[in-house]
Amino acid sequence: MPVVTRTRLFPRSPQKLTHTPLSILDCRVVRFAPSAGIWIFKDAPSVEELSVSLKITLDAYPQLSGQLQWAPYIPNGDHTQRFQRLMLAYGAPDDPGVEFIIATSPRSISSFAGSPVDGCTDAKDLPFAELIGSTTPLAFHDVLTYAGLPSLIIQITTLADNSVAIGLKFAHPLADAQSMFQFTSDWAAVSRAVRRHEPPPVLSPVFDPLLIDRAAAGDIDAPSPSPSIIEAARGLPLHRYDCWNSQLNCPPFMKSLTTVPPEVASAVSHFGNQIDWTNWEYTAPVSYYLVEFSPGELRAMWEEANSFSRVSHLDALLAHIWNLVIRARKFDGECYLDVTIGFRKRLNPPLPTSFLGSPIISIQVTATAQDAIDHKLGSMAASIRSSLSTFDASTLPALLHEIAFEISPFRTWSAFFGSRNTIITSWLHEELHMRDMDFGTGPPTLVEAVMPSFDGCVQVMEANARGPEGKKHIEGPSTQEISTLLVQDL
């Protein structure tokens, strides 16, 4: 991919030096893949207009130009100074800035569209990776290196047919999908104003990570946790895989995760559940499919599931996908759905829609392989609804208390890959629609959610219209053998 220029951008207005501890949830996702998305427009503002509007937008997002780094480790300090906690420093002369790449491509927009067959597209070889900055790594890309590395990389690519692709990639502790949409929506609003020669809109993102921490139950700055609060948190349906207790059969490239850091070895008094690495065929070739469900198909799923118990359209869709995956894998016994949920609306008071960060966690839903074989869509959807309903303003404060006292925020995993686990994340949002991003020349022609290519990692997004019965895209990789069975079963 020919790169025309590669620069670092900063807010136009000088910023005072600020050090902000990240939330206890932000710290948990440092090992996650970046939050990344690509929007392709047949017609788009010029690169110069996009650059100008981006600099204006960064005035409201100065933290994105800053340095993501470890917070000082103070064993007897407050909860933000415990081991492997993160902070963000910005306003310094040596801030890394936002990496801004201008590139060209010999490909046309059709190269990224694929060829659907009965609503199913083999997307493994679609070259979206070319449209997202890949040369410069993000801060903490290896959970070690951060100095001088950006937390946001943006690439503008002009295609051979004059279409334009806008690719964004965030370090996950600073932005989940909703934060990425908020930033992109704000940038698009500024871009529209620039094109119309109008004053830019007043942007109001909320970067206050400790709003999350202040929702925790009890005193999270105390020397030790409250036993009663921990007991309440442990009653929630969550996987608690202990990577420090998972040396057996661990892949060589993940061995470092299973080693107890010497700084805190004396503080480890017990170990949790082992990760069963044998369930993950990490060397198996992976296929990647995009599946579109029509409004009629979605309504039929919901009607079938809702006849058993009151569930949402999304519950029914997730149950349907999970059902297909379990049947294709042909396993006996218990299987798990690891569903990513957000905290913003579940806390009391709820956090603003424009709250930035990664206030998310994966929760556990359990079913048996026999449920899938018997096609018990209703009971599987009801299990999803039951687990989701458990996480609300009455239970999340206890969970935040538990997380705040973890020796390392990413020692315990609440999700895993492998043949018994399916990870599902939804990019559906009531107010921020991924396909509404209009930079002044109309909505995008193509949108791609960039997800890691691991077996069983599924992502749900709107295909077009809003609402529970609008078309939905399901994207997800799986082993080639499982993919063949899944497609046959759709």
Side-chain angles (χ1 to χ4, degrees):
M1 175 70 63
V3 173
V4 179
T5 63
R6 185 188 303 272
T7 58
R8 297 289 177 92
L9 298 185
F10 301 86
R12 300 171 305 164
S13 307
Q15 304 291 320
K16 68 176 183 179
L17 181 60
T18 303
H19 294 82
T20 303
L22 296 192
S23 79
I24 51 183
L25 294 178
D26 298 333
C27 295
R28 283 177 60 91
V29 301
V30 70
R31 294 188 187 276
F32 281 30
S35 297
I38 298 168
W39 290 259
I40 305 181
F41 301 83
K42 284 187 177 178
D43 184 26
S46 68
V47 172
E48 177 63 25
E49 288 173 322
L50 289 171
S51 176
V52 168
S53 60
L54 176 57
K55 292 175 183 177
I56 296 172
T57 305
L58 288 177
D59 284 345
Y61 291 82
Q63 73 276 6
L64 296 181
S65 299
Q67 180 67 73
L68 187 62
Q69 59 192 44
W70 295 122
Y73 172 42
I74 303 176
N76 296 318
D78 65 32
H79 78 279
T80 69
Q81 298 166 323
R82 292 177 181 141
F83 185 62
Q84 292 183 328
R85 270 50 176 184
L86 296 174
M87 64 182 294
L88 187 66
Y90 59 98
D94 58 350
D95 281 353
V98 172
E99 176 132 319
F100 186 61
I101 303 167
I102 299 173
T104 60
S105 171
R107 302 183 190 274
S108 64
I109 195 171
S110 60
S111 302
F112 301 91
S115 301
V117 177
D118 295 329
C120 186
T121 301
D122 184 349
K124 180 183 178 183
D125 296 322
L126 297 181
F128 282 107
E130 298 176 1
L131 305 179
I132 201 97
S134 57
T135 303
T136 301
L138 289 166
F140 286 108
H141 63 97
D142 57 359
V143 200
L144 294 171
T145 313
Y146 61 85
L149 296 179
S151 295
L152 170 58
I153 298 173
I154 297 175
Q155 179 173 316
I156 309 298
T157 307
T158 302
L159 305 181
D161 56 3
N162 292 319
S163 300
V164 173
I166 299 176
L168 293 89
K169 182 164 65 172
F170 287 83
H172 214 303
L174 292 189
D176 60 0
Q178 183 167 333
S179 296
M180 177 174 66
F181 296 163
Q182 182 68 50
F183 173 81
T184 309
S185 177
D186 282 347
W187 180 17
V190 173
S191 178
R192 294 194 299 272
V194 168
R195 285 184 59 83
R196 297 167 185 163
H197 303 287
E198 297 174 353
V202 176
L203 307 180
S204 55
V206 177
F207 179 61
D208 187 359
L210 295 190
L211 281 177
I212 287 284
D213 298 14
R214 287 193 285 272
D219 182 3
I220 58 175
D221 292 323
S224 58
S226 162
S228 61
I229 297 177
I230 294 296
E231 183 180 2
R234 294 286 169 85
L236 294 171
L238 283 172
H239 287 300
R240 289 179 171 84
Y241 297 117
D242 187 349
C243 64
W244 291 353
N245 190 34
S246 303
Q247 296 86 0
L248 184 65
N249 298 315
C250 178
F253 61 92
M254 301 193 83
K255 277 287 186 185
S256 63
L257 304 183
T258 66
T259 302
V260 180
E263 298 95 325
V264 294
S266 62
V268 180
S269 59
H270 68 280
F271 290 96
N273 297 330
Q274 290 185 351
I275 298 170
D276 186 354
W277 299 103
T278 61
N279 279 334
W280 181 26
E281 297 182 54
Y282 61 90
T283 60
V286 172
S287 295
Y288 186 83
Y289 280 87
L290 187 153
V291 181
E292 182 175 293
F293 290 101
S294 69
E297 290 171 320
L298 293 170
R299 183 164 187 82
M301 292 176 204
W302 175 75
E303 288 177 345
E304 178 181 348
N306 204 51
S307 64
F308 179 87
S309 176
R310 186 175 178 82
V311 297
S312 72
H313 287 75
L314 182 58
D315 297 335
L317 175 58
L318 299 186
H320 179 73
I321 295 299
W322 189 24
N323 187 294
L324 293 175
V325 171
I326 293 173
R327 294 212 310 256
R329 285 173 168 170
K330 298 181 179 179
F331 261 81
D332 294 327
E334 287 191 340
C335 299
Y336 308 108
L337 184 68
D338 302 330
V339 184
T340 303
I341 66 166
F343 278 60
R344 289 177 179 86
K345 291 188 175 183
R346 287 182 165 86
L347 295 176
N348 185 22
L351 299 176
T353 299
S354 58
F355 179 84
L356 305 176
S358 281
I360 59 173
I361 198 167
S362 293
I363 70 169
Q364 173 189 338
V365 187
T366 304
T368 67
Q370 195 62 45
D371 290 334
I373 293 170
D374 295 341
H375 197 71
K376 294 182 178 179
L377 186 65
S379 65
M380 294 176 76
S383 296
I384 293 171
R385 176 49 36 199
S386 176
S387 291
L388 289 171
S389 299
T390 305
F391 294 83
D392 58 22
S394 69
T395 58
L396 289 179
L399 179 59
L400 289 171
H401 182 94
E402 178 192 16
I403 294 170
F405 282 97
E406 289 181 338
I407 295 176
S408 167
F410 39 90
R411 169 190 177 180
T412 303
W413 295 5
S414 57
F416 182 57
F417 302 108
S419 53
R420 293 198 181 275
N421 295 64
T422 302
I423 298 175
I424 290 188
T425 182
S426 169
W427 283 21
L428 306 177
H429 193 275
E430 294 177 5
E431 299 171 36
L432 294 171
H433 196 293
M434 192 175 184
R435 297 180 183 274
D436 282 349
M437 305 305 176
D438 178 1
F439 284 78
T441 55
T445 302
L446 288 176
V447 176
E448 171 70 3
V450 181
M451 301 291 289
S453 290
F454 290 123
D455 176 25
C457 185
V458 180
Q459 189 265 344
V460 182
M461 60 186 282
E462 299 278 9
N464 50 18
R466 291 177 181 269
E469 293 188 27
K471 285 185 180 180
K472 301 293 184 290
H473 272 163
I474 309 298
E475 301 184 22
S478 56
T479 63
Q480 291 181 359
E481 178 184 3
I482 298 301
S483 292
T484 300
L485 294 171
L486 276 170
V487 172
Q488 290 174 352
D489 208 10
L490 283 169

